Amino acid sequence: MKTLSKQQLLQIFNNAFLTRTFEEATIDLFSKGEIDGWLHSGVGQELVGSVLCTFLTEGDYIIPYHRSKSYFLARGVDPGKLLAEIMGRKDGLCGGVGGEAHIADIAKGLIGSTGILGAGMPISLGTAFKQYYENSNNITICSFGDGSVPQGAFHESLNFAATWNLPIVFICENNFYAELSPISKGMKQQDIGKKAEAYGIPGFTVDGYDVEAVHSHLESAIAHARKGEGPSLIEFKTYRWRGHYEGDPQVYRTIEEIESWVKRDPLKKIEEELLTSKIATKEHIEKIKDEIKQQINEAIAFAKASPFPDEEFLLRNVYSDDSLY
């Protein structure tokens, strides 16, 4: 953590703890029947998005995926509106019609997550081509899980981005499981970062629980894209502590495997570094945590107070011609 400034480390901790607290709140609400449908938790995968968004500027785009809550919250999305969307409420980011897996905040550059594996990759080509065509200094971040890598969209998108030298950073959050299937069932070469070589672009495989490594690799890849030097692929090896969905019996992995990753909790490591380096006192850290918990409590109250969309609103934007309904 030698290259991270005091302010950077504090911001990353704030982002990650906000995401962790938000995720835990949604799990609690889901367990009480206050969130319908499915819930895909990202607990354990907070670090990458929390670091990433410290580098982004206005005009940058993010193509998130369904486990990307850290990207939304670290980018400054209102937790109340994000939670309201997950709960299907009218005051949500998308009016409550997107739900948990289909969320966007165009004002923040978040084009929209999707439950379809690899679906965001071709979309990222469009946003990055716009930036390339306009000769701007902006970049596109395309995030996805390891389950998307065997898809044709992965290979086609990396090939197109490389050929056109587009300003994209492809980020694979490899949590070793594509839904319920281990990565070994889906690909022979399990170091996804090495696949970049076939397209002639930089590729890296990084410990997604090492804040210094995450920070330095993102800084380098983003600078590479901003200078007009083209795309990069970064694979962050990370881990989801919960099942693929809430209620998943997780018969495909052992408790010992889960516990081995929980022991490496990056949030605890960052907190220890803040204390041992005297960047923050225990009282300062507790104050940060208390303020975030209060922020999430307010988000819950906001989301619960929001009404469900009415029937007329549910049909809006379904057809290109409003007269059809």
Side-chain angles (χ1 to χ4, degrees), residues 118-152:
M121 295 183 202
I123 296 171
S124 74
L125 301 178
T127 58
F129 186 82
K130 172 183 180 292
Q131 293 163 334
Y132 166 84
Y133 184 78
E134 293 175 347
N135 196 29
S136 77
N137 191 45
N138 290 118
I139 63 166
T140 291
I141 301 294
C142 180
S143 177
F144 50 93
D146 51 286
S148 298
V149 174
Q151 305 291 318

Side-chain angles (χ1 to χ4, degrees), residues 22 26 35-40 65-67 69 72 81-105 112-115 308-309 313-314:
F22 182 91
T26 62
I35 296 177
D36 293 324
W38 300 93
L39 185 67
H40 301 83
Y65 76 120
H66 68 280
R67 223 179 289 276
K69 306 301 185 297
F72 283 85
K81 291 185 177 180
L82 178 59
L83 182 58
E85 186 60 40
I86 292 171
M87 295 179 72
R89 303 303 181 99
K90 191 172 183 177
D91 293 312
L93 290 172
C94 303
V97 298
E100 188 249 347
H102 307 91
I103 305 176
D105 189 342
S113 59
T114 172
F308 289 101
F313 183 81
L314 292 175

Side-chain angles (χ1 to χ4, degrees), residues 5-317:
S5 70
K6 170 184 175 180
Q7 191 56 43
Q8 286 172 326
L9 202 56
L10 280 170
Q11 185 60 53
I12 291 166
F13 178 76
N14 188 92
N15 292 345
F17 189 79
L18 174 63
T19 304
R20 175 74 57 83
T21 308
F22 182 91
E23 293 270 20
E24 289 173 345
T26 62
I27 292 168
D28 180 62
L29 290 165
F30 185 83
S31 71
K32 295 174 179 176
E34 297 190 58
I35 296 177
D36 293 324
W38 300 93
L39 185 67
H40 301 83
S41 167
V43 173
Q45 292 187 217
E46 300 91 350
L47 189 58
V48 173
S50 297
V51 175
L52 166 70
C53 291
T54 64
F55 291 109
L56 301 184
T57 62
E58 186 176 352
D60 291 338
Y61 290 116
I62 305 175
I63 316 297
Y65 76 120
H66 68 280
R67 223 179 289 276
S68 299
K69 306 301 185 297
S70 62
Y71 295 69
F72 283 85
L73 293 167
R75 190 63 168 144
V77 170
D78 186 307
K81 291 185 177 180
L82 178 59
L83 182 58
E85 186 60 40
I86 292 171
M87 295 179 72
R89 303 303 181 99
K90 191 172 183 177
D91 293 312
L93 290 172
C94 303
V97 298
E100 188 249 347
H102 307 91
I103 305 176
D105 189 342
I106 303 301
K108 298 288 186 182
L110 288 142
I111 300 301
S113 59
T114 172
I116 305 300
L117 292 180
M121 295 183 202
I123 296 171
S124 74
L125 301 178
T127 58
F129 186 82
K130 172 183 180 292
Q131 293 163 334
Y132 166 84
Y133 184 78
E134 293 175 347
N135 196 29
S136 77
N137 191 45
N138 290 118
I139 63 166
T140 291
I141 301 294
C142 180
S143 177
F144 50 93
D146 51 286
S148 298
V149 174
Q151 305 291 318
F154 172 86
H155 303 281
E156 294 166 5
S157 297
L158 263 69
N159 183 66
F160 187 96
T163 303
W164 281 85
N165 217 40
L166 298 183
I168 305 181
V169 180
F170 292 101
I171 295 177
C172 176
E173 291 197 17
N174 178 7
N175 63 22
F176 303 99
Y177 293 95
E179 295 190 348
L180 318 180
S181 301
I183 188 173
S184 60
K185 300 289 186 182
M187 62 191 82
K188 189 78 169 180
Q189 172 53 268
Q190 294 171 37
D191 286 331
I192 293 166
K194 292 181 179 179
K195 297 180 185 293
E197 185 178 354
Y199 307 99
I201 64 174
F204 308 94
T205 295
V206 182
D207 180 356
Y209 272 24
D210 181 336
V211 66
E212 179 74 27
V214 172
H215 185 273
S216 63
H217 281 84
L218 283 171
E219 183 175 42
S220 176
I222 288 171
H224 182 85
R226 287 203 197 282
K227 289 186 290 186
E229 296 176 354
S232 302
L233 169 64
I234 311 178
E235 171 200 9
F236 291 108
K237 292 188 185 293
T238 185
Y239 201 77
R240 55 171 166 82
W241 296 2
R242 311 283 296 185
H244 168 60
Y245 58 90
E246 288 303 304
D248 175 5
Q250 304 185 69
V251 296
Y252 49 85
R253 60 182 184 175
T254 65
I255 293 175
E256 290 75 20
E257 178 183 308
I258 298 170
E259 289 177 345
S260 70
W261 282 89
V262 172
K263 286 178 182 176
R264 296 187 58 217
D265 185 357
L267 271 71
K268 288 186 177 179
K269 287 187 176 181
I270 295 172
E271 184 173 342
E272 289 168 3
E273 178 65 18
L274 289 169
L275 291 169
T276 57
S277 299
K278 300 187 186 305
I279 294 173
T281 63
K282 188 170 182 60
E283 290 74 21
H284 184 190
I285 292 172
E286 290 305 312
K287 182 181 179 183
I288 291 172
K289 290 181 178 180
D290 288 342
E291 289 174 351
I292 288 173
K293 289 174 184 176
Q294 179 59 30
Q295 187 179 3
I296 297 303
N297 286 337
E298 291 171 2
I300 293 170
F302 173 86
K304 284 185 174 182
S306 177
F308 289 101
D310 54 37
E311 187 174 330
E312 180 183 351
F313 183 81
L314 292 175
L315 294 175
R316 192 174 299 168
N317 301 319

